[in-house]
Structure formats: structure tokens, C-alpha cells
Amino acid sequence: MPADTNPAGDIFGGWLMAQMDLAAGNVAARRARGRCATLAVDAITFHHPVFVGDEVSLYAWLLRVGRSSLRIQVEVWRRERASEVTMKVTEATFTFVAIGEDRRPRPVPPAESGL
């Protein structure tokens, strides 16, 4: 939306990072079967701008599970409104930690089939 842009009409990188954090957080919470917190974002790369009106798609997948941590890769792709051409615009690796009711790190449970 226009409120999410800089004066040049490009989407703010911070808005895009927030969407990426939400996508990665969904993967983390599903795999950890509970609350997770963002611990780090590594190697974020902005390849191309996103413009008002572009369709934005985010793809996130699990890279690694530690005792209480999860590493998740996120890619962001854009499609211009009047085109079928897609382009990868941003990617990053997120690290989350599973946290318990006491807001302290907790072990990630064993994987269920399909996750």
C-alpha cells in the first residue's frame, strides 16, 4: 500500500522484513508446536525493489532444528500487476528459539510426520 513506501514509490525494506518474520514465525511455531521468538536474521539480501501494486509471495521452509532453535529460510517473490513474470526480490535466514510459558527457551519436540 502507498503508506508502506518510501518517497520513490518502493516498498520499505522494513515492511518486507516484517512480512518475512511473520512467514518464518509461522513455520517455527508449527514445527515447535508452540510459541517461538525471533533470535536472529542472517544474510538478508535485497535483490530488486517491490513497487505499489505488485503481488508479493513469501516462501519459508525449515533448514535445521536444534535443541531449542530453528533455522528457517525465507524467499520473497514479486509479480507485477499486469504480468505473469515473477522475480525473487529478497531472501534471508531466520533463527527462532522455542519458548515456554515462562518465556525461557524450551526443547523443540520430536518431529511429527509431515513436518
Side-chain angles (χ1 to χ4, degrees):
M1 297 301 293
D4 300 316
T5 65
N6 62 30
D10 303 339
I11 298 296
F12 279 123
W15 179 86
L16 210 48
M17 286 180 64
Q19 302 311 302
M20 294 169 76
D21 191 43
L22 289 168
N26 284 335
V27 172
R30 285 184 62 206
R31 175 57 185 83
R33 294 196 296 275
R35 187 172 178 182
C36 294
T38 307
L39 189 63
V41 180
D42 298 319
I44 190 161
T45 305
F46 293 96
H47 302 289
H48 301 282
V50 175
F51 303 104
V52 171
D54 286 351
E55 177 184 275
V56 177
S57 299
L58 293 93
Y59 302 94
W61 62 92
L62 191 62
L63 294 175
R64 188 182 69 78
V65 177
R67 190 187 79 73
S68 63
S69 66
L70 305 101
R71 287 186 54 85
I72 297 154
Q73 182 70 28
V74 180
E75 289 183 356
V76 180
W77 291 71
R78 71 178 271 262
R79 183 185 64 79
E80 293 179 33
R81 182 181 299 193
S83 172
E84 293 303 314
V85 176
T86 60
M87 175 184 304
K88 182 165 65 171
V89 294
T90 308
E91 61 186 321
T93 304
F94 288 73
T95 302
F96 281 78
V97 64
I99 56 176
E101 293 293 322
D102 60 357
R103 298 181 186 242
R104 309 264 313 144
R106 66 171 172 85
V108 174
E112 294 178 352
S113 64
L115 292 179

